[in-house]
């Protein structure tokens, strides 16, 4: 059930309601609005059921209301009454005249009054009800009638149970309404009244343009307005979600995120035994040989993109990836349900825009194979923050984190003191050319030192290099020795590679699937399942965006000045 309901119909000009008799029939029906307390939990009367059937035929959108969902879940006289009252209220705009609608929303029972009535607008001065009614009745263009409804517990908790808070909200979102109604802000006119209804307090609005030729609202516009208002009303909830990246609020399932974290950890310490991935990666590597331009997905030809997508789909079928992606989608859907009536359709991993980086990861791995770049998988079995012995210091508390700054002097100093993790890190840097000039001889020296010290990760890396590294340094017997030593200590990569002896002829592509599994673990860990709503009000977003653009423009100008000064010197 969505936490906020936003609906918006409109009144066409010069078209008085043609269903007045029906409105009178519903408004004066017996036993709907007033129900004896002792009978509220009984089943609905036949007359109520008949009225509900008639409303659903004449107003199909009534099925989307919170009251209807509660009635279906628990069909009692009380819930039937709530639904019938709400259905009449939401459709008054189409069965009464324009001026009658304005009078209705400002003077009806349970309206929060400001003076003699409950109508308020964008200005602080008094609102003259008769004047507004004349404006609406005589306006030659369309008039829109939005309704925004909250559940009672949310309204009370977030202080949206009074007219003042709603007035402040609507004033701050006036530009949002104007934008999606395609009305210039200076021409946009609106009035509203807050109704303190039982289960679902809400506001009614009337909006129009001073220019009768302006204004129209699409389904996308309704969706954007609803999302913007939801973001603002629930901003404190969303702030916590974005800041902590946890699901501690009621609208999300904590167990989903916990399970996702466990899956990511397991994924990082797993291998992929998938011959199809290996063969397709080899094919992709060969196709990239003839590619001209950047080695990124967006620059590839359609047939090559299709091959990349097929590799991602194959990777998505791996049990660890499939389970993690499913949990990610569940967590995302739980928060989206707070502001959307209909769930987001789940798309294949290769088609999910949130995971574009997965496709580029595949291309990057294929490019490495093409260029013969030696790679080493992340050290398995160690969680973040435990990759290296603490004696190395905070700068290197992750052996395999490429984003950690490298202090070569400190690494060498620690390695010379006998720190095998530091020796392993130095060996990896020189063998892969990461952060330093590639130097196979120097890399082998440090990696061998760490391997002889019993470091299982160094033993695996050394064995892999002697198999797939520089051709002049291949030594199968020595490679098997170091791989077996690593495997005996429980290294899953070494064990897997030893099991793949028949595939060694294909080179390092044997480990491509496993490397991409580790890469996907990092990507999904850094891609929170929350839609890009942001955490502050839209008007603040726009202001901040302008400040950042001005700041960025100033920096660019300063850089240009400095470049000219340097050229002059």
């Amino acid at each position: 059930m969505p936490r906020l309901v936003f609906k918006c119909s409109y009144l066409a000009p010069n078209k008085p309601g043609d269903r007045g008799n029906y409105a009178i029939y519903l408004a004066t029906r017996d036993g709907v609005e007033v129900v004896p307390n002792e009978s509220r939990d009984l089943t609905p009367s036949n007359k109520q059921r008949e009225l509900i059937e008639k409303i659903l035929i004449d107003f199909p959108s009534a099925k989307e209301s919170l009251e209807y969902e509660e009635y279906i879940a628990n069909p009692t006289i009380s819930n039937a009454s709530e639904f019938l009252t709400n259905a009449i209220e939401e459709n008054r705009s189409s069965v009464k005249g324009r001026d009658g609608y304005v009078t209705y929303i400002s003077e009806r029972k349970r309206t929060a009054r400001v003076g003699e009535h409950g109508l308020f607008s964008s200005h602080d001065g008094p609102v003259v009800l008769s004047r507004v009614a004349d404006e609406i009745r005589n306006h030659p263009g369309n008039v829109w009638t939005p309704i925004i409804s909250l559940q009672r517990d949310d309204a009370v908790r977030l202080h949206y149970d009074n007219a003042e808070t709603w007035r402040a909200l609507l004033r701050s979102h006036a530009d949002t309404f104007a934008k999606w109604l395609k009305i210039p802000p200076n021409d946009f006119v609106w009035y509203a009244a807050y109704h303190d209804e039982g289960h679902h307090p809400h506001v009614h609005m009337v909006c129009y343009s001073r220019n009768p030729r302006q204004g129209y609202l699409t389904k996308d516009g309704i969706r954007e307005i609803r999302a913007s208002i939801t973001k603002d009303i629930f901003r404190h909830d969303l702030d916590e979600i974005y800041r902590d990246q946890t699901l501690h609020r009621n609208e999300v399932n904590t167990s989903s995120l916990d399970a996702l974290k466990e899956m990511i950890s397991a994924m990082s310490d797993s291998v992929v035994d998938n011959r199809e991935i290996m063969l397709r990666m080899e094919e992709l590597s060969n196709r990239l040989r003839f590619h001209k331009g950047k080695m990124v997905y967006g620059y590839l030809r359609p047939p090559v993109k299709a091959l990349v997508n097929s590799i991602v789909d194959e990777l998505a079928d791996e049990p660890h990836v499939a389970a993690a992606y499913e949990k990610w989608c569940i967590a995302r859907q739980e928060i989206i349900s707070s502001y959307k009536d209909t769930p987001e359709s789940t798309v294949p991993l290769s088609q999910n825009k949130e995971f574009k980086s997965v496709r580029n990861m595949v291309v990057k791995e294929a490019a490495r194979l093409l260029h013969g770049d030696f790679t080493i998988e992340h050290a398995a079995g160690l969680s973040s923050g435990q990759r290296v012995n603490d004696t190395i210091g905070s700068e290197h508390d992750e052996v395999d984190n490429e984003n950690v700054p490298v202090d070569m002097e400190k690494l060498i100093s620690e390695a010379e003191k006998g720190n095998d993790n530091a020796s392993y890190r130095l060996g990896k840097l020189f063998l892969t050319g990461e952060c330093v000039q590639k130097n196979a001889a120097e890399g082998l020296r440090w990696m061998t030192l760490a391997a002889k010290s019993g470091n299982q990760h160094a033993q695996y890396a050394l064995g892999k290099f002697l198999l797939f590294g520089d051709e002049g340094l291949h030594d199968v017997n020595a490679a098997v020795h170091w791989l077996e030593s690593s495997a005996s200590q429980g290294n899953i990569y070494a064990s897997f590679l030893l099991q793949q002896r028949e595939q060694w002829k294909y080179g390092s592509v044997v480990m491509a699937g496993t490397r991409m599994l580790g890469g996907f673990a990092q990507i999904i860990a850094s891609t929170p399942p929350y839609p890009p709503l942001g955490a502050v009000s839209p008007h603040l977003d726009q202001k901040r965006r302008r400040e950042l653009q001005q700041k960025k423009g100033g920096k660019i100008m300063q850089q240009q000045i400095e470049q000219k000064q340097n050229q002059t010197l």
Side-chain angles (χ1 to χ4, degrees):
M1 181 183 295
R3 300 172 68 185
L4 180 144
V5 173
F6 177 83
K7 296 182 179 181
C8 187
S9 57
Y10 72 95
L11 303 171
N14 302 321
K15 289 185 178 180
D18 56 358
R19 289 180 284 185
N21 292 334
Y22 179 67
I24 295 173
Y25 167 66
L26 292 180
T28 59
R29 67 196 183 284
D30 182 38
V32 174
E33 295 193 22
V34 180
V35 182
N37 290 332
E38 62 272 14
S39 64
R40 294 180 67 84
D41 294 329
L42 299 178
T43 57
S45 66
N46 291 334
K47 190 167 187 178
Q48 282 183 314
R49 294 180 188 277
E50 291 173 3
L51 288 171
I52 289 173
E53 290 179 5
K54 186 170 181 61
I55 282 178
L56 294 178
I57 292 173
D58 291 338
F59 305 113
S61 63
K63 290 183 178 180
E64 301 173 6
S65 67
L66 297 170
E67 288 81 4
Y68 184 70
E69 290 187 19
E70 292 183 357
Y71 167 72
I72 292 298
N74 186 21
T76 64
I77 288 179
S78 175
N79 287 339
S81 177
E82 286 278 353
F83 168 66
L84 291 169
T85 300
N86 180 73
I88 295 170
E89 181 176 306
E90 289 192 350
N91 293 284
R92 283 289 179 101
S93 61
S94 55
V95 298
K96 294 183 73 70
R98 290 185 177 191
D99 51 342
Y101 182 70
V102 174
T103 303
Y104 166 73
I105 69 172
S106 63
E107 295 184 343
R108 70 177 293 273
K109 185 180 179 181
R110 289 187 293 275
T111 297
R113 294 175 176 266
V114 182
E116 297 180 355
H117 56 77
L119 213 60
F120 57 82
S121 187
S122 58
H123 55 80
D124 292 324
V127 176
V128 181
L129 179 58
S130 59
R131 186 180 302 168
V132 173
D134 287 341
E135 289 177 12
I136 301 297
R137 180 175 59 249
N138 298 321
H139 185 64
N142 289 335
V143 175
W144 284 268
T145 57
I147 300 174
I148 309 169
S149 176
L150 287 176
Q151 297 181 41
R152 169 63 65 178
D153 56 347
D154 282 333
V156 172
R157 179 172 62 86
L158 299 172
H159 307 294
Y160 280 89
D161 55 352
N162 62 86
E164 287 300 318
T165 305
W166 280 104
R167 176 163 55 184
L169 176 79
L170 296 180
R171 285 181 175 181
S172 69
H173 284 271
D175 286 351
T176 302
F177 277 92
K179 174 184 177 181
W180 294 106
L181 280 165
K182 312 300 181 185
I183 298 173
N186 291 337
D187 290 334
F188 182 61
V189 181
W190 65 272
Y191 299 95
Y194 167 66
H195 295 168
D196 194 23
E197 199 65 46
H199 293 310
H200 304 108
H202 55 272
V203 289
H204 285 264
M205 298 179 68
V206 287
C207 312
Y208 63 93
S209 172
R210 290 188 176 90
N211 183 342
R213 295 185 178 182
Q214 295 173 342
Y216 66 93
L217 183 62
T218 64
K219 290 183 178 180
D220 286 341
I222 291 176
R223 183 166 55 251
E224 293 295 335
I225 294 173
R226 177 171 51 200
S228 179
I229 294 173
T230 300
K231 175 176 60 176
D232 205 352
I233 291 177
F234 297 100
R235 64 184 179 276
H236 296 301
D237 291 356
L238 296 176
D239 277 346
E240 185 169 339
I241 291 172
Y242 276 86
R243 182 175 58 253
D244 301 329
Q245 293 191 356
T246 58
L247 303 180
H248 293 313
R249 288 291 185 184
N250 293 332
E251 74 272 22
V252 278
N253 187 342
T254 304
S255 62
S256 295
L257 188 59
D258 290 341
L260 181 58
K261 289 179 179 178
E262 292 178 4
M263 292 174 181
I264 291 171
S265 177
M267 198 185 313
S268 300
D269 296 339
S270 302
V271 295
V272 173
D273 185 7
N274 189 317
R275 179 176 172 80
E276 191 62 34
I277 289 180
M278 186 184 75
L279 295 177
R280 293 186 190 182
M281 285 297 293
E282 186 176 34
E283 180 185 355
L284 177 60
S285 177
N286 291 329
R287 288 202 185 187
L288 292 180
R289 191 183 307 276
F290 305 101
H291 174 71
K292 296 180 180 180
K294 295 182 179 180
M295 288 287 188
V296 293
Y297 180 85
Y299 284 80
L300 302 180
R301 297 174 60 189
V304 184
K305 286 183 177 179
L307 178 58
V308 172
N309 291 343
S310 72
I311 294 172
V312 175
D313 288 336
E314 193 71 30
L315 183 66
D317 287 336
E318 288 293 311
H320 285 300
V321 177
Y325 183 57
E326 180 184 10
K327 285 293 182 184
W328 185 94
C329 291
I330 290 173
R332 179 181 178 88
Q333 189 54 54
E334 285 171 345
I335 190 171
I336 285 179
S337 65
S338 70
Y339 71 94
K340 279 191 175 182
D341 293 332
T342 55
E344 221 179 36
S345 59
T346 301
V347 297
L349 178 62
S350 61
Q351 305 301 319
N352 194 323
K353 294 180 180 180
E354 300 293 328
F355 289 96
K356 291 180 181 178
S357 53
V358 175
R359 293 178 295 193
N360 281 320
M361 174 193 70
V362 172
V363 176
K364 183 178 181 180
E365 184 64 26
R368 284 174 172 168
L369 296 172
L370 172 64
H371 299 139
D373 295 339
F374 179 67
T375 57
I376 301 175
E377 287 66 42
H378 288 279
L382 294 176
S383 63
S384 175
Q386 297 177 325
R387 299 295 189 185
V388 183
N389 190 293
D390 290 338
T391 58
I392 293 183
S394 61
E395 294 91 342
H396 307 289
D397 58 356
E398 290 193 19
V399 170
D400 298 303
N401 190 340
E402 297 178 0
N403 297 319
V404 173
V406 177
D407 186 338
M408 291 297 292
E409 291 184 5
K410 191 169 186 178
L411 267 181
I412 293 173
S413 174
E414 292 291 337
E416 289 176 343
K417 293 177 183 178
N419 189 311
D420 58 287
N421 280 323
S423 297
Y424 165 72
R425 176 68 164 142
L426 281 171
K428 181 180 178 182
L429 291 175
F430 284 114
L431 289 178
T432 61
E434 171 196 333
C435 303
V436 297
Q437 183 69 33
K438 185 175 181 180
N439 187 325
E442 190 70 4
L444 279 175
R445 182 171 77 86
W446 289 112
M447 196 66 79
T448 302
L449 183 63
K452 288 181 177 180
S453 297
N455 187 301
Q456 61 161 304
H457 309 299
Q459 291 170 346
Y460 165 70
L462 183 57
K464 183 180 179 183
F465 184 83
L466 294 174
L467 280 179
F468 306 132
D470 294 0
E471 291 186 6
L473 299 174
H474 285 186
D475 186 334
V476 176
N477 292 330
V480 171
H481 165 72
W482 290 117
L483 289 173
E484 288 178 344
S485 298
S486 180
S488 68
Q489 297 190 64
N491 189 288
I492 59 171
Y493 299 143
S495 299
F496 175 72
L497 197 52
L498 286 169
Q499 295 169 8
Q500 302 294 317
R501 294 193 187 199
E502 294 183 0
Q503 312 299 331
W504 288 358
K505 60 185 177 181
Y506 293 106
S508 60
V509 71
V510 174
M511 298 299 294
T514 297
R515 280 186 58 78
M516 290 189 295
L517 181 64
F520 177 74
Q522 293 182 358
I523 291 172
I524 196 170
S526 61
T527 307
Y530 316 115
L533 284 176
V536 294
S537 304
H539 58 284
L540 294 179
D541 287 344
Q542 294 168 3
K543 180 180 179 181
R544 180 61 178 155
R545 190 180 299 113
R546 286 195 297 269
E547 292 175 352
L548 291 174
Q549 289 173 344
Q550 292 172 357
K551 185 176 181 181
K552 182 178 179 181
K555 286 185 177 180
I556 293 174
M557 183 177 294
Q558 182 63 32
Q559 290 172 357
Q560 292 173 345
I561 293 173
E562 291 175 355
Q563 288 175 358
K564 289 183 179 180
Q565 290 175 343
N566 292 334
Q567 291 173 358
T568 303
L569 294 175

